[in-house]
Every structure is written in structure tokens, then in C-alpha cells.
Amino acid sequence: MTSNSQPPLGTLDRVAYFLLRGVTLICDALGVILLASVMLLIVAAVLARDLLGLGMPWTEEVASMLAVYAVAFGSLSACVRFEHLAVDLFSHRLGGLARSVQHRLVGLLSTGFYALAAWGAITMSIASANNRTVSLGISFSYLYYGIFLAFAGMALVTAWQAVRGPVAWQAALQSEQESF
């Protein structure tokens, strides 16, 4: 893989650049693999039921779990690349300092929301530890772990973005990721 963007020169920014780049590549790959697995599993269940007359009731449970983790990895990757839905009504009219303050404020608010959601997911995981799926007997906690993974990861990313503020190399990294 050749890189179109140059990594930043500062040590901390270089580490963040390669870490964020690695996170997006890994999350994208895992998300695609998990979604492809969901599709294959559903097709296999339909074919087994219609052609062979075999019921596979466990496929719904596994497909749900795979889908939750695919969304978790995808949402973390989207957070790193600033691809979550945002309403941007006036920031293009702000000056440099005001835009930086807005960036940090949005990062702090997002961090708070994601941390609260992660806390809710881990709380639900603990509360549902004894609840099990019907076919396989898997604890529902594993579903909530995927949700926790997504929100905790996004909380870390937005906290870093709030502390660091806007950086020029992230735009280059975003355009590089879009070219794949």
C-alpha cells in the first residue's frame, strides 16, 4: 500500500497518525469480514432450509452478534475519519480560533456522550450476564460488549481530538482513506 499523505514530523503526531491509520484499516477489514460472514450465514441458512429441509435456528443469533460487531468496528472507523453525521451550519464562517474552540467543544461533548453510552453498555452487559440466547445459550453480555467496544473506542478518539484540536494531517489521512 502506498501512502499519498506524508506523516507529520512531530513524534506524538507521528504516533497518532500511524495509530489512527492502523485502527481504520483494521476496523474496516474486520467490518467487511463480519458483514460478509453475516451474508454467507444467512444464505447458508436459507439454502439449508429450502433445499435440504434442515433447520438452522442458531444462525439468527450468530448473525445478530456478527452484525453488532460489524457495526461497532465500522462506527469506530467512521469516528476516526470524521464520517459520522454532523450538522455544520456556520463553522465555515468562523475564524481560525473560533473554529478550533468549536472543534474542541464538539469533541468534549461527543466524548461525554460516547462515555455515557459505553457506561450504559457495560451496565447492561453486567445486568444481562445470566440472560442467554435460546438456541446456543450464549450470554447476551457478548452483544453488549460489541456496543461497549464501539462507544469506548469512539470516546477515546474524540477525547484525543478534543485535547489535540484540529490538525492538518488528518485531512490528508481522511482523503487517503477515501481513495481505498
Side-chain angles (χ1 to χ4, degrees), residues 3 18 23 26 31 39 54 57 61 70 79 88 95 98 102 111-112 130 143 151 173:
S3 175
F18 286 111
V23 165
I26 290 169
M39 288 177 39
L54 298 173
E61 296 171 2
C79 182
D88 187 11
Q102 178 199 20
T111 300
N130 294 324
L143 288 171
F151 283 121
L173 182 61

Side-chain angles (χ1 to χ4, degrees), residues 29 68-69 82 100 134 136 146 177:
V68 166
Y69 280 90
F82 293 103
S100 178
V134 175
L136 295 176
Q177 296 291 334

Side-chain angles (χ1 to χ4, degrees), residues 5 36 50 70-71 119 129 156 179:
S5 64
D50 292 344
V71 169
W119 176 75
L156 289 173
S179 68

Side-chain angles (χ1 to χ4, degrees), residues 41-42 44-46 56-66 135-136:
L41 187 62
I42 291 172
V46 169
M56 297 171 53
W58 56 270
T59 57
E60 181 182 342
E61 296 171 2
V62 174
S64 296
M65 191 171 298
L66 291 174
S135 296
L136 295 176

Side-chain angles (χ1 to χ4, degrees), residues 87-106:
V87 178
D88 187 11
L89 298 176
F90 59 89
S91 66
H92 62 282
R93 295 183 182 197
L94 296 175
L97 178 61
R99 192 174 310 146
S100 178
V101 168
Q102 178 199 20
H103 179 86
R104 290 171 192 263
L105 182 61
V106 169

Side-chain angles (χ1 to χ4, degrees), residues 12-51:
L12 275 173
D13 279 345
R14 248 179 121 73
V15 168
Y17 174 87
F18 286 111
L19 182 65
L20 292 175
R21 186 174 178 204
V23 165
T24 56
L25 291 174
I26 290 169
C27 285
D28 287 345
L30 287 173
V32 168
I33 289 168
L34 290 172
L35 281 178
S37 300
V38 168
M39 288 177 39
L40 288 173
L41 187 62
I42 291 172
V43 168
V46 169
L47 291 176
R49 182 188 67 224
D50 292 344
L51 296 179

